Coordinates of all heavy atoms in Angstrom, one line a residue:
A425 N -48.9 13.7 -55.2 CA -50.1 13.0 -54.8 C -51.2 13.2 -55.8 O -52.4 13.0 -55.5 CB -50.6 13.5 -53.4
G426 N -50.9 13.7 -57.0 CA -51.9 14.0 -58.0 C -52.2 15.4 -58.1 O -51.8 16.2 -57.2
D427 N -53.0 15.8 -59.1 CA -53.4 17.2 -59.2 C -54.3 17.6 -58.1 O -55.2 16.8 -57.7 CB -54.1 17.4 -60.6 CG -53.1 17.3 -61.7 OD1 -51.9 17.4 -61.5 OD2 -53.6 17.3 -62.9
K428 N -54.1 18.8 -57.5 CA -55.0 19.3 -56.4 C -55.6 20.6 -56.8 O -54.9 21.5 -57.3 CB -54.1 19.5 -55.2 CG -53.4 18.2 -54.7 CD -54.4 17.2 -54.1 CE -53.7 16.0 -53.5 NZ -54.7 15.0 -52.9
S429 N -56.9 20.7 -56.6 CA -57.6 22.0 -56.9 C -57.2 23.0 -55.9 O -56.7 22.7 -54.8 CB -59.1 21.7 -56.9 OG -59.5 21.4 -55.6
Y430 N -57.5 24.2 -56.2 CA -57.3 25.3 -55.2 C -58.0 25.0 -53.9 O -57.4 25.1 -52.8 CB -57.9 26.6 -55.8 CG -58.1 27.7 -54.8 CD1 -57.0 28.5 -54.3 CD2 -59.4 28.0 -54.3 CE1 -57.3 29.6 -53.4 CE2 -59.6 29.0 -53.3 CZ -58.5 29.7 -52.9 OH -58.8 30.7 -51.9
D431 N -59.3 24.6 -54.0 CA -60.0 24.3 -52.7 C -59.4 23.1 -52.0 O -59.3 23.2 -50.7 CB -61.5 23.9 -53.1 CG -62.3 25.1 -53.5 OD1 -62.0 26.3 -53.1 OD2 -63.3 25.0 -54.3
E432 N -58.9 22.1 -52.7 CA -58.2 21.0 -52.0 C -57.0 21.5 -51.3 O -56.7 21.0 -50.2 CB -57.9 19.9 -53.0 CG -59.1 19.1 -53.4 CD -58.8 18.1 -54.5 OE1 -58.1 18.4 -55.5 OE2 -59.2 16.9 -54.3
V433 N -56.2 22.3 -51.9 CA -54.9 22.8 -51.3 C -55.2 23.5 -50.0 O -54.6 23.3 -49.0 CB -54.1 23.6 -52.3 CG1 -52.9 24.3 -51.6 CG2 -53.7 22.8 -53.5
V434 N -56.2 24.4 -50.1 CA -56.5 25.2 -48.9 C -57.1 24.3 -47.8 O -56.7 24.4 -46.7 CB -57.5 26.3 -49.3 CG1 -57.9 27.2 -48.1 CG2 -56.9 27.2 -50.4
S435 N -58.0 23.4 -48.2 CA -58.6 22.5 -47.2 C -57.5 21.6 -46.6 O -57.5 21.4 -45.4 CB -59.7 21.7 -47.9 OG -60.2 20.7 -47.0
D436 N -56.6 21.1 -47.4 CA -55.6 20.2 -46.9 C -54.6 21.0 -46.0 O -54.1 20.4 -45.0 CB -54.8 19.6 -48.0 CG -55.6 18.5 -48.8 OD1 -56.7 18.1 -48.2 OD2 -55.2 18.2 -49.9
L437 N -54.3 22.3 -46.3 CA -53.5 23.1 -45.4 C -54.2 23.3 -44.1 O -53.5 23.2 -43.0 CB -53.1 24.4 -46.1 CG -52.3 25.4 -45.3 CD1 -51.0 24.7 -44.9 CD2 -52.0 26.7 -46.1
A438 N -55.5 23.6 -44.1 CA -56.2 23.8 -42.9 C -56.2 22.5 -42.0 O -56.0 22.6 -40.8 CB -57.7 24.2 -43.2
T439 N -56.3 21.4 -42.7 CA -56.2 20.1 -42.0 C -54.8 19.9 -41.3 O -54.7 19.4 -40.2 CB -56.5 18.9 -42.9 OG1 -57.9 19.1 -43.4 CG2 -56.4 17.6 -42.2
A440 N -53.8 20.3 -42.1 CA -52.4 20.2 -41.6 C -52.2 21.0 -40.3 O -51.6 20.6 -39.4 CB -51.4 20.5 -42.7
V441 N -52.8 22.3 -40.4 CA -52.7 23.1 -39.2 C -53.4 22.5 -38.0 O -52.9 22.5 -36.9 CB -53.2 24.5 -39.5 CG1 -53.2 25.4 -38.2 CG2 -52.3 25.2 -40.6
D442 N -54.6 22.0 -38.3 CA -55.4 21.4 -37.2 C -54.7 20.2 -36.6 O -54.6 20.0 -35.4 CB -56.7 20.9 -37.8 CG -57.8 21.9 -37.6 OD1 -57.7 22.8 -36.7 OD2 -58.9 21.9 -38.3
K443 N -54.0 19.4 -37.5 CA -53.3 18.2 -37.0 C -52.1 18.6 -36.2 O -51.8 18.1 -35.1 CB -52.8 17.4 -38.2 CG -52.0 16.1 -37.8 CD -51.6 15.4 -39.1 CE -50.8 14.1 -38.7 NZ -50.4 13.4 -39.9
L444 N -51.4 19.7 -36.6 CA -50.2 20.1 -35.9 C -50.6 20.6 -34.5 O -49.9 20.4 -33.5 CB -49.6 21.3 -36.7 CG -48.3 22.0 -36.1 CD1 -47.1 21.0 -36.0 CD2 -48.0 23.2 -36.8
L445 N -51.7 21.3 -34.4 CA -52.1 22.0 -33.2 C -53.3 21.2 -32.5 O -53.9 21.8 -31.5 CB -52.6 23.4 -33.5 CG -51.6 24.3 -34.2 CD1 -52.1 25.7 -34.5 CD2 -50.3 24.4 -33.3
G446 N -53.5 20.0 -32.9 CA -54.6 19.2 -32.3 C -54.4 18.9 -30.8 O -55.4 18.8 -30.0
D447 N -53.2 18.7 -30.4 CA -52.9 18.4 -29.0 C -52.6 19.8 -28.3 O -51.7 20.5 -28.8 CB -51.6 17.5 -28.9 CG -51.2 17.3 -27.5 OD1 -51.9 16.6 -26.8 OD2 -50.2 17.9 -27.0
D448 N -53.3 20.1 -27.3 CA -53.2 21.4 -26.6 C -51.8 21.7 -26.1 O -51.3 22.8 -26.1 CB -54.3 21.5 -25.5 CG -55.6 21.8 -26.1 OD1 -55.8 21.9 -27.3 OD2 -56.6 22.0 -25.3
A449 N -51.2 20.7 -25.5 CA -49.8 20.9 -25.0 C -48.9 21.3 -26.1 O -48.0 22.2 -25.9 CB -49.3 19.6 -24.3
R450 N -48.9 20.6 -27.2 CA -48.1 20.9 -28.4 C -48.4 22.3 -28.9 O -47.6 23.1 -29.2 CB -48.2 19.9 -29.5 CG -47.4 20.1 -30.7 CD -47.6 19.0 -31.7 NE -46.9 19.3 -33.0 CZ -45.7 19.1 -33.3 NH1 -44.9 18.5 -32.3 NH2 -45.1 19.4 -34.4
A451 N -49.7 22.6 -28.9 CA -50.2 23.9 -29.5 C -49.6 25.0 -28.6 O -49.1 26.0 -29.1 CB -51.7 23.9 -29.5
N452 N -49.7 24.9 -27.3 CA -49.2 25.9 -26.4 C -47.7 26.1 -26.6 O -47.2 27.2 -26.6 CB -49.5 25.5 -24.9 CG -50.9 26.0 -24.5 OD1 -51.3 27.1 -24.7 ND2 -51.6 25.0 -23.9
A453 N -47.0 25.0 -26.8 CA -45.5 25.1 -27.0 C -45.1 25.8 -28.3 O -44.1 26.4 -28.4 CB -44.9 23.7 -27.0
L454 N -46.0 25.7 -29.3 CA -45.7 26.4 -30.6 C -46.3 27.8 -30.7 O -45.6 28.7 -31.2 CB -46.3 25.5 -31.7 CG -45.6 24.3 -32.2 CD1 -46.4 23.5 -33.2 CD2 -44.2 24.6 -32.7
L455 N -47.5 28.0 -30.2 CA -48.2 29.2 -30.4 C -47.7 30.3 -29.4 O -47.7 31.5 -29.8 CB -49.7 29.0 -30.2 CG -50.4 28.1 -31.2 CD1 -51.8 27.8 -30.7 CD2 -50.4 28.8 -32.6
G456 N -47.4 30.0 -28.2 CA -47.2 31.1 -27.2 C -48.5 31.8 -27.0 O -49.6 31.3 -27.2
A457 N -48.4 33.1 -26.5 CA -49.5 33.9 -26.2 C -49.7 35.1 -27.1 O -48.7 35.6 -27.7 CB -49.5 34.3 -24.8
I458 N -50.9 35.5 -27.4 CA -51.1 36.7 -28.2 C -50.5 37.9 -27.4 O -50.8 38.1 -26.2 CB -52.6 36.9 -28.4 CG1 -53.2 35.7 -29.2 CG2 -52.9 38.2 -29.1 CD1 -52.6 35.6 -30.6
V459 N -49.7 38.7 -28.1 CA -48.8 39.6 -27.4 C -49.6 40.9 -27.0 O -49.2 41.5 -26.0 CB -47.6 40.0 -28.3 CG1 -48.1 40.8 -29.5 CG2 -46.6 40.7 -27.5
N460 N -50.6 41.3 -27.7 CA -51.4 42.5 -27.3 C -52.8 42.4 -27.9 O -53.1 41.6 -28.8 CB -50.6 43.8 -27.8 CG -50.5 43.8 -29.3 OD1 -51.4 43.6 -30.0 ND2 -49.3 44.1 -29.7
P461 N -53.7 43.3 -27.4 CA -55.1 43.3 -27.8 C -55.3 43.5 -29.3 O -56.2 43.1 -29.9 CB -55.7 44.4 -26.9 CG -54.8 44.5 -25.7 CD -53.5 44.2 -26.2
Q462 N -54.4 44.3 -29.9 CA -54.5 44.6 -31.3 C -54.4 43.4 -32.2 O -55.2 43.3 -33.2 CB -53.5 45.7 -31.7 CG -53.7 47.1 -31.1 CD -53.3 47.1 -29.6 OE1 -52.4 46.5 -29.2 NE2 -54.1 47.9 -28.9
V463 N -53.5 42.5 -31.8 CA -53.4 41.2 -32.6 C -54.7 40.4 -32.5 O -55.2 39.9 -33.5 CB -52.2 40.4 -32.1 CG1 -52.2 39.0 -32.8 CG2 -50.9 41.1 -32.4
K464 N -55.2 40.3 -31.3 CA -56.5 39.6 -31.1 C -57.6 40.2 -31.9 O -58.4 39.5 -32.5 CB -56.8 39.6 -29.6 CG -58.1 38.8 -29.3 CD -58.4 38.9 -27.8 CE -59.7 38.1 -27.5 NZ -60.1 38.3 -26.0
E465 N -57.7 41.5 -31.9 CA -58.7 42.2 -32.7 C -58.6 41.9 -34.2 O -59.6 41.6 -34.8 CB -58.6 43.7 -32.5 CG -59.0 44.2 -31.1 CD -58.7 45.6 -30.8 OE1 -58.2 46.3 -31.8 OE2 -58.8 46.1 -29.7
R466 N -57.4 41.9 -34.7 CA -57.2 41.6 -36.1 C -57.6 40.1 -36.4 O -58.2 39.8 -37.4 CB -55.8 41.8 -36.6 CG -55.4 43.3 -36.7 CD -54.1 43.4 -37.4 NE -53.0 43.0 -36.5 CZ -52.3 43.9 -35.7 NH1 -52.7 45.1 -35.6 NH2 -51.3 43.4 -35.0
L467 N -57.2 39.2 -35.5 CA -57.6 37.8 -35.6 C -59.1 37.6 -35.7 O -59.6 36.9 -36.5 CB -57.0 37.0 -34.5 CG -57.3 35.5 -34.3 CD1 -56.8 34.8 -35.5 CD2 -56.8 35.0 -33.0
E468 N -59.8 38.3 -34.8 CA -61.3 38.1 -34.7 C -62.0 38.8 -35.8 O -63.1 38.4 -36.2 CB -61.7 38.6 -33.3 CG -61.2 37.7 -32.2 CD -61.6 38.2 -30.8 OE1 -62.0 39.4 -30.7 OE2 -61.5 37.4 -29.9

Side-chain angles (χ1 to χ4, degrees):
D427 291 346
K428 300 290 182 179
S429 68
Y430 162 83
D431 287 333
E432 286 178 310
V433 173
V434 179
S435 176
D436 289 346
L437 178 58
T439 299
V441 174
D442 267 341
K443 181 180 178 181
L444 177 69
L445 304 177
D447 176 74
D448 283 2
R450 179 179 174 85
N452 276 308
L454 284 175
L455 294 170
I458 298 297
V459 70
N460 61 49
Q462 291 74 35
V463 172
K464 182 182 178 185
E465 290 167 8
R466 286 191 289 270
L467 173 64
E468 293 178 344

